[in-house]
Amino acid sequence: MATTKWALDPMHSELQFKVKHLMITTVTGSFNDFSAELTTDAEDFEHAAVTFKAGVDSVDTGNGDRDGHLKSGDFFNAEEFPSITFVSTSFTKNGGDYKLTGDLTIKDVTKPVTLDVEFGGQVTDLYGQNKAGFSISGKFNRTDFGLTWNAALETGGVVVSEEVRILGELQFVKQA
């Protein structure tokens, strides 16, 4: 089979992250500017190559002050490191779904991360475009990537958990 490229449909895709705040509630954020590409040599996407890039300046938690703090040197340091990237190293079948492993780079740190990928299926839309949908989930420790800012609470505990959960709904369009 020939190599097939799939481009992200940004109008029908989203990428979120969730982090515990004060260890009692979860704050949700997203990246409004991101792109991804999927390249495959198989009909079932096994062994596909996946690349991803998010603009740090597009981080959005619904609170401008918090977004500014996330863009600062305490967290992402958007001025010096404007992008978060992911490059797959494997995309393997796991029952009807997949495991996606790759190198995640945040700031100047690159570490391997494995994500669960649920395949939503393929369909031809109203405009004749072949589309494929995927739900992605996983987690990583933010301190592994140099995102170490935190503050201790007088009652014990910390302001921000180390665990970050990733949730994505990604729709790709087959390229001619």
Side-chain angles (χ1 to χ4, degrees), residues 25-45:
T25 58
T26 300
V27 171
T28 301
S30 61
F31 290 96
N32 296 323
D33 176 23
F34 66 97
S35 61
E37 186 175 271
L38 189 147
T39 305
T40 184
D41 291 327
E43 282 293 322
D44 68 357
F45 296 99

mmCIF file with all atom_site columns, all heavy atoms in Angstrom, residues 25-45:
data_model
loop_
_atom_site.group_PDB
_atom_site.id
_atom_site.type_symbol
_atom_site.label_atom_id
_atom_site.label_alt_id
_atom_site.label_comp_id
_atom_site.label_asym_id
_atom_site.label_entity_id
_atom_site.label_seq_id
_atom_site.pdbx_PDB_ins_code
_atom_site.Cartn_x
_atom_site.Cartn_y
_atom_site.Cartn_z
_atom_site.occupancy
_atom_site.B_iso_or_equiv
_atom_site.pdbx_formal_charge
_atom_site.auth_seq_id
_atom_site.auth_comp_id
_atom_site.auth_asym_id
_atom_site.auth_atom_id
_atom_site.pdbx_PDB_model_num
ATOM 1   N N   . THR A 1 25 ? -9.763  19.993 43.570 1.00 0.00 ? 25 THR A N   1
ATOM 2   C CA  . THR A 1 25 ? -10.540 20.173 42.345 1.00 0.00 ? 25 THR A CA  1
ATOM 3   C C   . THR A 1 25 ? -9.613  20.054 41.143 1.00 0.00 ? 25 THR A C   1
ATOM 4   O O   . THR A 1 25 ? -8.399  20.156 41.273 1.00 0.00 ? 25 THR A O   1
ATOM 5   C CB  . THR A 1 25 ? -11.242 21.549 42.284 1.00 0.00 ? 25 THR A CB  1
ATOM 6   O OG1 . THR A 1 25 ? -10.250 22.570 42.396 1.00 0.00 ? 25 THR A OG1 1
ATOM 7   C CG2 . THR A 1 25 ? -12.282 21.701 43.366 1.00 0.00 ? 25 THR A CG2 1
ATOM 8   N N   . THR A 1 26 ? -10.203 19.892 39.995 1.00 0.00 ? 26 THR A N   1
ATOM 9   C CA  . THR A 1 26 ? -9.425  19.778 38.770 1.00 0.00 ? 26 THR A CA  1
ATOM 10  C C   . THR A 1 26 ? -9.643  21.006 37.901 1.00 0.00 ? 26 THR A C   1
ATOM 11  O O   . THR A 1 26 ? -10.785 21.415 37.677 1.00 0.00 ? 26 THR A O   1
ATOM 12  C CB  . THR A 1 26 ? -9.829  18.508 37.994 1.00 0.00 ? 26 THR A CB  1
ATOM 13  O OG1 . THR A 1 26 ? -9.570  17.368 38.827 1.00 0.00 ? 26 THR A OG1 1
ATOM 14  C CG2 . THR A 1 26 ? -9.056  18.375 36.699 1.00 0.00 ? 26 THR A CG2 1
ATOM 15  N N   . VAL A 1 27 ? -8.538  21.577 37.421 1.00 0.00 ? 27 VAL A N   1
ATOM 16  C CA  . VAL A 1 27 ? -8.589  22.698 36.491 1.00 0.00 ? 27 VAL A CA  1
ATOM 17  C C   . VAL A 1 27 ? -8.327  22.148 35.095 1.00 0.00 ? 27 VAL A C   1
ATOM 18  O O   . VAL A 1 27 ? -7.416  21.352 34.892 1.00 0.00 ? 27 VAL A O   1
ATOM 19  C CB  . VAL A 1 27 ? -7.545  23.777 36.860 1.00 0.00 ? 27 VAL A CB  1
ATOM 20  C CG1 . VAL A 1 27 ? -7.441  24.832 35.777 1.00 0.00 ? 27 VAL A CG1 1
ATOM 21  C CG2 . VAL A 1 27 ? -7.884  24.399 38.205 1.00 0.00 ? 27 VAL A CG2 1
ATOM 22  N N   . THR A 1 28 ? -9.138  22.587 34.136 1.00 0.00 ? 28 THR A N   1
ATOM 23  C CA  . THR A 1 28 ? -9.003  22.153 32.760 1.00 0.00 ? 28 THR A CA  1
ATOM 24  C C   . THR A 1 28 ? -8.472  23.289 31.905 1.00 0.00 ? 28 THR A C   1
ATOM 25  O O   . THR A 1 28 ? -8.900  24.434 32.046 1.00 0.00 ? 28 THR A O   1
ATOM 26  C CB  . THR A 1 28 ? -10.373 21.704 32.202 1.00 0.00 ? 28 THR A CB  1
ATOM 27  O OG1 . THR A 1 28 ? -10.863 20.631 33.005 1.00 0.00 ? 28 THR A OG1 1
ATOM 28  C CG2 . THR A 1 28 ? -10.256 21.240 30.753 1.00 0.00 ? 28 THR A CG2 1
ATOM 29  N N   . GLY A 1 29 ? -7.538  22.962 31.051 1.00 0.00 ? 29 GLY A N   1
ATOM 30  C CA  . GLY A 1 29 ? -7.007  23.934 30.106 1.00 0.00 ? 29 GLY A CA  1
ATOM 31  C C   . GLY A 1 29 ? -6.956  23.316 28.724 1.00 0.00 ? 29 GLY A C   1
ATOM 32  O O   . GLY A 1 29 ? -7.161  22.110 28.557 1.00 0.00 ? 29 GLY A O   1
ATOM 33  N N   . SER A 1 30 ? -6.696  24.158 27.744 1.00 0.00 ? 30 SER A N   1
ATOM 34  C CA  . SER A 1 30 ? -6.585  23.665 26.376 1.00 0.00 ? 30 SER A CA  1
ATOM 35  C C   . SER A 1 30 ? -5.550  24.489 25.630 1.00 0.00 ? 30 SER A C   1
ATOM 36  O O   . SER A 1 30 ? -5.107  25.531 26.109 1.00 0.00 ? 30 SER A O   1
ATOM 37  C CB  . SER A 1 30 ? -7.931  23.741 25.668 1.00 0.00 ? 30 SER A CB  1
ATOM 38  O OG  . SER A 1 30 ? -8.383  25.084 25.612 1.00 0.00 ? 30 SER A OG  1
ATOM 39  N N   . PHE A 1 31 ? -5.173  23.982 24.476 1.00 0.00 ? 31 PHE A N   1
ATOM 40  C CA  . PHE A 1 31 ? -4.321  24.724 23.556 1.00 0.00 ? 31 PHE A CA  1
ATOM 41  C C   . PHE A 1 31 ? -5.189  25.041 22.343 1.00 0.00 ? 31 PHE A C   1
ATOM 42  O O   . PHE A 1 31 ? -5.740  24.133 21.712 1.00 0.00 ? 31 PHE A O   1
ATOM 43  C CB  . PHE A 1 31 ? -3.087  23.915 23.163 1.00 0.00 ? 31 PHE A CB  1
ATOM 44  C CG  . PHE A 1 31 ? -2.123  23.759 24.295 1.00 0.00 ? 31 PHE A CG  1
ATOM 45  C CD1 . PHE A 1 31 ? -2.134  22.628 25.081 1.00 0.00 ? 31 PHE A CD1 1
ATOM 46  C CD2 . PHE A 1 31 ? -1.225  24.765 24.590 1.00 0.00 ? 31 PHE A CD2 1
ATOM 47  C CE1 . PHE A 1 31 ? -1.263  22.489 26.142 1.00 0.00 ? 31 PHE A CE1 1
ATOM 48  C CE2 . PHE A 1 31 ? -0.347  24.647 25.655 1.00 0.00 ? 31 PHE A CE2 1
ATOM 49  C CZ  . PHE A 1 31 ? -0.363  23.513 26.430 1.00 0.00 ? 31 PHE A CZ  1
ATOM 50  N N   . ASN A 1 32 ? -5.332  26.323 22.030 1.00 0.00 ? 32 ASN A N   1
ATOM 51  C CA  . ASN A 1 32 ? -6.187  26.735 20.922 1.00 0.00 ? 32 ASN A CA  1
ATOM 52  C C   . ASN A 1 32 ? -5.472  26.716 19.585 1.00 0.00 ? 32 ASN A C   1
ATOM 53  O O   . ASN A 1 32 ? -6.113  26.765 18.546 1.00 0.00 ? 32 ASN A O   1
ATOM 54  C CB  . ASN A 1 32 ? -6.773  28.120 21.202 1.00 0.00 ? 32 ASN A CB  1
ATOM 55  C CG  . ASN A 1 32 ? -7.682  28.091 22.414 1.00 0.00 ? 32 ASN A CG  1
ATOM 56  O OD1 . ASN A 1 32 ? -8.399  27.129 22.645 1.00 0.00 ? 32 ASN A OD1 1
ATOM 57  N ND2 . ASN A 1 32 ? -7.633  29.142 23.211 1.00 0.00 ? 32 ASN A ND2 1
ATOM 58  N N   . ASP A 1 33 ? -4.143  26.665 19.613 1.00 0.00 ? 33 ASP A N   1
ATOM 59  C CA  . ASP A 1 33 ? -3.343  26.628 18.391 1.00 0.00 ? 33 ASP A CA  1
ATOM 60  C C   . ASP A 1 33 ? -2.503  25.362 18.413 1.00 0.00 ? 33 ASP A C   1
ATOM 61  O O   . ASP A 1 33 ? -1.523  25.276 19.156 1.00 0.00 ? 33 ASP A O   1
ATOM 62  C CB  . ASP A 1 33 ? -2.450  27.863 18.304 1.00 0.00 ? 33 ASP A CB  1
ATOM 63  C CG  . ASP A 1 33 ? -1.510  27.843 17.111 1.00 0.00 ? 33 ASP A CG  1
ATOM 64  O OD1 . ASP A 1 33 ? -1.805  27.145 16.122 1.00 0.00 ? 33 ASP A OD1 1
ATOM 65  O OD2 . ASP A 1 33 ? -0.467  28.515 17.181 1.00 0.00 ? 33 ASP A OD2 1
ATOM 66  N N   . PHE A 1 34 ? -2.924  24.357 17.635 1.00 0.00 ? 34 PHE A N   1
ATOM 67  C CA  . PHE A 1 34 ? -2.138  23.132 17.558 1.00 0.00 ? 34 PHE A CA  1
ATOM 68  C C   . PHE A 1 34 ? -2.348  22.481 16.200 1.00 0.00 ? 34 PHE A C   1
ATOM 69  O O   . PHE A 1 34 ? -3.338  22.732 15.515 1.00 0.00 ? 34 PHE A O   1
ATOM 70  C CB  . PHE A 1 34 ? -2.452  22.167 18.701 1.00 0.00 ? 34 PHE A CB  1
ATOM 71  C CG  . PHE A 1 34 ? -3.842  21.593 18.711 1.00 0.00 ? 34 PHE A CG  1
ATOM 72  C CD1 . PHE A 1 34 ? -4.088  20.341 18.161 1.00 0.00 ? 34 PHE A CD1 1
ATOM 73  C CD2 . PHE A 1 34 ? -4.886  22.278 19.285 1.00 0.00 ? 34 PHE A CD2 1
ATOM 74  C CE1 . PHE A 1 34 ? -5.362  19.796 18.183 1.00 0.00 ? 34 PHE A CE1 1
ATOM 75  C CE2 . PHE A 1 34 ? -6.170  21.747 19.311 1.00 0.00 ? 34 PHE A CE2 1
ATOM 76  C CZ  . PHE A 1 34 ? -6.399  20.504 18.762 1.00 0.00 ? 34 PHE A CZ  1
ATOM 77  N N   . SER A 1 35 ? -1.384  21.671 15.818 1.00 0.00 ? 35 SER A N   1
ATOM 78  C CA  . SER A 1 35 ? -1.460  20.957 14.549 1.00 0.00 ? 35 SER A CA  1
ATOM 79  C C   . SER A 1 35 ? -0.955  19.539 14.758 1.00 0.00 ? 35 SER A C   1
ATOM 80  O O   . SER A 1 35 ? -0.227  19.261 15.714 1.00 0.00 ? 35 SER A O   1
ATOM 81  C CB  . SER A 1 35 ? -0.620  21.664 13.476 1.00 0.00 ? 35 SER A CB  1
ATOM 82  O OG  . SER A 1 35 ? 0.741   21.704 13.870 1.00 0.00 ? 35 SER A OG  1
ATOM 83  N N   . ALA A 1 36 ? -1.363  18.663 13.859 1.00 0.00 ? 36 ALA A N   1
ATOM 84  C CA  . ALA A 1 36 ? -0.914  17.268 13.921 1.00 0.00 ? 36 ALA A CA  1
ATOM 85  C C   . ALA A 1 36 ? -0.980  16.686 12.523 1.00 0.00 ? 36 ALA A C   1
ATOM 86  O O   . ALA A 1 36 ? -1.747  17.152 11.675 1.00 0.00 ? 36 ALA A O   1
ATOM 87  C CB  . ALA A 1 36 ? -1.789  16.456 14.873 1.00 0.00 ? 36 ALA A CB  1
ATOM 88  N N   . GLU A 1 37 ? -0.164  15.667 12.311 1.00 0.00 ? 37 GLU A N   1
ATOM 89  C CA  . GLU A 1 37 ? -0.173  14.945 11.046 1.00 0.00 ? 37 GLU A CA  1
ATOM 90  C C   . GLU A 1 37 ? 0.016   13.470 11.342 1.00 0.00 ? 37 GLU A C   1
ATOM 91  O O   . GLU A 1 37 ? 0.750   13.095 12.251 1.00 0.00 ? 37 GLU A O   1
ATOM 92  C CB  . GLU A 1 37 ? 0.945   15.451 10.132 1.00 0.00 ? 37 GLU A CB  1
ATOM 93  C CG  . GLU A 1 37 ? 0.895   14.831 8.743  1.00 0.00 ? 37 GLU A CG  1
ATOM 94  C CD  . GLU A 1 37 ? 1.931   15.417 7.806  1.00 0.00 ? 37 GLU A CD  1
ATOM 95  O OE1 . GLU A 1 37 ? 1.610   16.411 7.145  1.00 0.00 ? 37 GLU A OE1 1
ATOM 96  O OE2 . GLU A 1 37 ? 3.055   14.875 7.773  1.00 0.00 ? 37 GLU A OE2 1
ATOM 97  N N   . LEU A 1 38 ? -0.654  12.663 10.572 1.00 0.00 ? 38 LEU A N   1
ATOM 98  C CA  . LEU A 1 38 ? -0.572  11.217 10.710 1.00 0.00 ? 38 LEU A CA  1
ATOM 99  C C   . LEU A 1 38 ? -0.197  10.665 9.339  1.00 0.00 ? 38 LEU A C   1
ATOM 100 O O   . LEU A 1 38 ? -0.806  11.046 8.334  1.00 0.00 ? 38 LEU A O   1
ATOM 101 C CB  . LEU A 1 38 ? -1.944  10.708 11.162 1.00 0.00 ? 38 LEU A CB  1
ATOM 102 C CG  . LEU A 1 38 ? -2.105  9.274  11.581 1.00 0.00 ? 38 LEU A CG  1
ATOM 103 C CD1 . LEU A 1 38 ? -3.166  9.202  12.668 1.00 0.00 ? 38 LEU A CD1 1
ATOM 104 C CD2 . LEU A 1 38 ? -2.481  8.397  10.442 1.00 0.00 ? 38 LEU A CD2 1
ATOM 105 N N   . THR A 1 39 ? 0.814   9.805  9.288  1.00 0.00 ? 39 THR A N   1
ATOM 106 C CA  . THR A 1 39 ? 1.244   9.176  8.039  1.00 0.00 ? 39 THR A CA  1
ATOM 107 C C   . THR A 1 39 ? 1.207   7.665  8.237  1.00 0.00 ? 39 THR A C   1
ATOM 108 O O   . THR A 1 39 ? 1.730   7.162  9.236  1.00 0.00 ? 39 THR A O   1
ATOM 109 C CB  . THR A 1 39 ? 2.672   9.623  7.659  1.00 0.00 ? 39 THR A CB  1
ATOM 110 O OG1 . THR A 1 39 ? 2.705   11.050 7.605  1.00 0.00 ? 39 THR A OG1 1
ATOM 111 C CG2 . THR A 1 39 ? 3.087   9.060  6.319  1.00 0.00 ? 39 THR A CG2 1
ATOM 112 N N   . THR A 1 40 ? 0.578   6.959  7.294  1.00 0.00 ? 40 THR A N   1
ATOM 113 C CA  . THR A 1 40 ? 0.437   5.518  7.459  1.00 0.00 ? 40 THR A CA  1
ATOM 114 C C   . THR A 1 40 ? 0.686   4.779  6.144  1.00 0.00 ? 40 THR A C   1
ATOM 115 O O   . THR A 1 40 ? 0.457   5.320  5.067  1.00 0.00 ? 40 THR A O   1
ATOM 116 C CB  . THR A 1 40 ? -0.965  5.158  8.011  1.00 0.00 ? 40 THR A CB  1
ATOM 117 O OG1 . THR A 1 40 ? -1.026  3.756  8.246  1.00 0.00 ? 40 THR A OG1 1
ATOM 118 C CG2 . THR A 1 40 ? -2.072  5.575  7.076  1.00 0.00 ? 40 THR A CG2 1
ATOM 119 N N   . ASP A 1 41 ? 1.128   3.542  6.281  1.00 0.00 ? 41 ASP A N   1
ATOM 120 C CA  . ASP A 1 41 ? 1.296   2.654  5.141  1.00 0.00 ? 41 ASP A CA  1
ATOM 121 C C   . ASP A 1 41 ? 0.279   1.517  5.193  1.00 0.00 ? 41 ASP A C   1
ATOM 122 O O   . ASP A 1 41 ? 0.331   0.601  4.379  1.00 0.00 ? 41 ASP A O   1
ATOM 123 C CB  . ASP A 1 41 ? 2.712   2.045  5.134  1.00 0.00 ? 41 ASP A CB  1
ATOM 124 C CG  . ASP A 1 41 ? 3.774   3.083  4.833  1.00 0.00 ? 41 ASP A CG  1
ATOM 125 O OD1 . ASP A 1 41 ? 3.484   4.025  4.067  1.00 0.00 ? 41 ASP A OD1 1
ATOM 126 O OD2 . ASP A 1 41 ? 4.888   2.958  5.364  1.00 0.00 ? 41 ASP A OD2 1
ATOM 127 N N   . ALA A 1 42 ? -0.636  1.562  6.185  1.00 0.00 ? 42 ALA A N   1
ATOM 128 C CA  . ALA A 1 42 ? -1.599  0.477  6.374  1.00 0.00 ? 42 ALA A CA  1
ATOM 129 C C   . ALA A 1 42 ? -3.007  1.037  6.464  1.00 0.00 ? 42 ALA A C   1
ATOM 130 O O   . ALA A 1 42 ? -3.213  2.171  6.896  1.00 0.00 ? 42 ALA A O   1
ATOM 131 C CB  . ALA A 1 42 ? -1.258  -0.298 7.653  1.00 0.00 ? 42 ALA A CB  1
ATOM 132 N N   . GLU A 1 43 ? -3.982  0.241  6.087  1.00 0.00 ? 43 GLU A N   1
ATOM 133 C CA  . GLU A 1 43 ? -5.389  0.656  6.174  1.00 0.00 ? 43 GLU A CA  1
ATOM 134 C C   . GLU A 1 43 ? -5.836  0.841  7.623  1.00 0.00 ? 43 GLU A C   1
ATOM 135 O O   . GLU A 1 43 ? -6.699  1.649  7.898  1.00 0.00 ? 43 GLU A O   1
ATOM 136 C CB  . GLU A 1 43 ? -6.286  -0.386 5.506  1.00 0.00 ? 43 GLU A CB  1
ATOM 137 C CG  . GLU A 1 43 ? -6.294  -0.316 4.010  1.00 0.00 ? 43 GLU A CG  1
ATOM 138 C CD  . GLU A 1 43 ? -6.927  0.954  3.462  1.00 0.00 ? 43 GLU A CD  1
ATOM 139 O OE1 . GLU A 1 43 ? -7.931  1.442  4.021  1.00 0.00 ? 43 GLU A OE1 1
ATOM 140 O OE2 . GLU A 1 43 ? -6.394  1.468  2.467  1.00 0.00 ? 43 GLU A OE2 1
ATOM 141 N N   . ASP A 1 44 ? -5.256  0.067  8.539  1.00 0.00 ? 44 ASP A N   1
ATOM 142 C CA  . ASP A 1 44 ? -5.727  0.089  9.920  1.00 0.00 ? 44 ASP A CA  1
ATOM 143 C C   . ASP A 1 44 ? -4.925  1.025  10.825 1.00 0.00 ? 44 ASP A C   1
ATOM 144 O O   . ASP A 1 44 ? -5.095  1.004  12.027 1.00 0.00 ? 44 ASP A O   1
ATOM 145 C CB  . ASP A 1 44 ? -5.746  -1.318 10.507 1.00 0.00 ? 44 ASP A CB  1
ATOM 146 C CG  . ASP A 1 44 ? -4.350  -1.904 10.686 1.00 0.00 ? 44 ASP A CG  1
ATOM 147 O OD1 . ASP A 1 44 ? -3.357  -1.256 10.301 1.00 0.00 ? 44 ASP A OD1 1
ATOM 148 O OD2 . ASP A 1 44 ? -4.263  -3.018 11.220 1.00 0.00 ? 44 ASP A OD2 1
ATOM 149 N N   . PHE A 1 45 ? -4.048  1.846  10.286 1.00 0.00 ? 45 PHE A N   1
ATOM 150 C CA  . PHE A 1 45 ? -3.252  2.850  11.004 1.00 0.00 ? 45 PHE A CA  1
ATOM 151 C C   . PHE A 1 45 ? -2.126  2.262  11.850 1.00 0.00 ? 45 PHE A C   1
ATOM 152 O O   . PHE A 1 45 ? -1.338  3.015  12.420 1.00 0.00 ? 45 PHE A O   1
ATOM 153 C CB  . PHE A 1 45 ? -4.123  3.765  11.879 1.00 0.00 ? 45 PHE A CB  1
ATOM 154 C CG  . PHE A 1 45 ? -5.082  4.591  11.077 1.00 0.00 ? 45 PHE A CG  1
ATOM 155 C CD1 . PHE A 1 45 ? -6.405  4.203  10.941 1.00 0.00 ? 45 PHE A CD1 1
ATOM 156 C CD2 . PHE A 1 45 ? -4.656  5.738  10.455 1.00 0.00 ? 45 PHE A CD2 1
ATOM 157 C CE1 . PHE A 1 45 ? -7.291  4.954  10.191 1.00 0.00 ? 45 PHE A CE1 1
ATOM 158 C CE2 . PHE A 1 45 ? -5.529  6.506  9.699  1.00 0.00 ? 45 PHE A CE2 1
ATOM 159 C CZ  . PHE A 1 45 ? -6.851  6.112  9.567  1.00 0.00 ? 45 PHE A CZ  1
#
